[in-house]
Amino acid sequence: IDDLMEEARFWLCLTNDGRYTAHNLRVCVDGVLPNGMFPARYPSIPNSLLPVTSANWITALHDHWFHTGDTQLVQELLPTADRALELYESWRTDDGLVPDQQGEHVWNFIDWGYGDRLGGTTAALNMVIAAAFHQGAQLHRAAGDATIAADYEATAGQIIEAVLRKFWLSDEQHMYDCTAPKVEGRTFSQLPHAVGVYADLLDD
């Protein structure tokens, strides 16, 4: 499902034909767990759980709408997106961020560029979650629900503020990756910054 986010974007840019992406978005929904979490590999390995997957699916739904204007699919699938965002909200801790999750079959993977070197609370995961709330707000606005849209925009803003408070190094003008790296010393990457730019989460 995480790869679907990227592949669907290329497909829509090449063809602007939403039938294929709509089908795949619906297949993903068939595998959602009772708590609202998307498995990463459905239907082949339904117990493979990545905390980032639900946010990536919301981005794929948002991209589908952006390219096709298909508000009917948005209205159909928004309740599933809402459940996923509610789960993220329940995972936030006192610092306003979502830390790595623990549990059987859970892998806190984000991107192959990181491998397994991240740990604790990560800038990248939280930027992706903030993007999901921001995109969820846009989808609700497209569906005519300004109240939920405003709530999601506020949550996205809170997460961004918390990310910058935790990870931004003003003297170096970038974020560091995580609070508990599995390698020696802090590491840095482009991904959290790129997500912020792509999803229009950051000011000048």
Side-chain angles (χ1 to χ4, degrees), residues 127-196:
M127 290 297 285
V128 171
I129 292 171
F133 274 99
H134 177 62
Q135 292 162 340
Q138 293 177 321
L139 292 172
H140 270 284
R141 203 170 288 115
D145 193 334
T147 301
I148 295 179
D151 288 344
Y152 282 174
E153 288 288 14
T155 301
Q158 292 166 8
I159 295 172
I160 291 300
E161 289 177 6
V163 167
L164 296 176
R165 191 163 53 245
K166 177 80 76 174
F167 297 104
W168 182 256
L169 301 175
S170 57
D171 55 336
E172 300 180 27
Q173 291 293 291
H174 62 71
M175 296 176 238
Y176 67 94
D177 282 330
C178 65
T179 60
K182 298 175 183 176
V183 297
E184 185 177 352
R186 282 180 171 173
T187 62
F188 312 88
S189 62
Q190 295 181 3
L191 185 57
H193 308 81
V195 172

Side-chain angles (χ1 to χ4, degrees), residues 39-199:
R41 300 175 184 175
Y42 182 83
S44 59
I45 310 176
N47 62 356
S48 175
L49 304 178
L50 277 59
V52 74
T53 301
S54 301
N56 286 340
W57 180 87
I58 291 170
T59 294
L61 176 61
H62 175 272
D63 285 350
H64 172 90
W65 164 76
F66 180 83
H67 283 274
T68 67
D70 185 357
T71 56
Q72 183 175 346
L73 185 73
V74 169
Q75 290 173 329
E76 174 188 337
L77 299 185
L78 260 180
T80 304
D82 290 340
R83 287 174 58 211
L85 292 172
E86 288 169 7
L87 183 61
Y88 282 132
E89 182 64 33
S90 74
W91 286 350
R92 291 174 69 196
T93 54
D94 291 343
D95 62 2
L97 298 172
V98 174
D100 280 359
Q101 297 300 298
Q102 307 302 318
E104 189 178 13
H105 307 303
V106 174
W107 181 24
N108 289 285
F109 173 87
I110 298 173
D111 181 83
W112 287 114
Y114 290 127
D116 284 324
R117 76 171 192 247
L118 304 185
T121 302
T122 67
L125 175 62
N126 281 276
M127 290 297 285
V128 171
I129 292 171
F133 274 99
H134 177 62
Q135 292 162 340
Q138 293 177 321
L139 292 172
H140 270 284
R141 203 170 288 115
D145 193 334
T147 301
I148 295 179
D151 288 344
Y152 282 174
E153 288 288 14
T155 301
Q158 292 166 8
I159 295 172
I160 291 300
E161 289 177 6
V163 167
L164 296 176
R165 191 163 53 245
K166 177 80 76 174
F167 297 104
W168 182 256
L169 301 175
S170 57
D171 55 336
E172 300 180 27
Q173 291 293 291
H174 62 71
M175 296 176 238
Y176 67 94
D177 282 330
C178 65
T179 60
K182 298 175 183 176
V183 297
E184 185 177 352
R186 282 180 171 173
T187 62
F188 312 88
S189 62
Q190 295 181 3
L191 185 57
H193 308 81
V195 172
V197 172
Y198 174 77

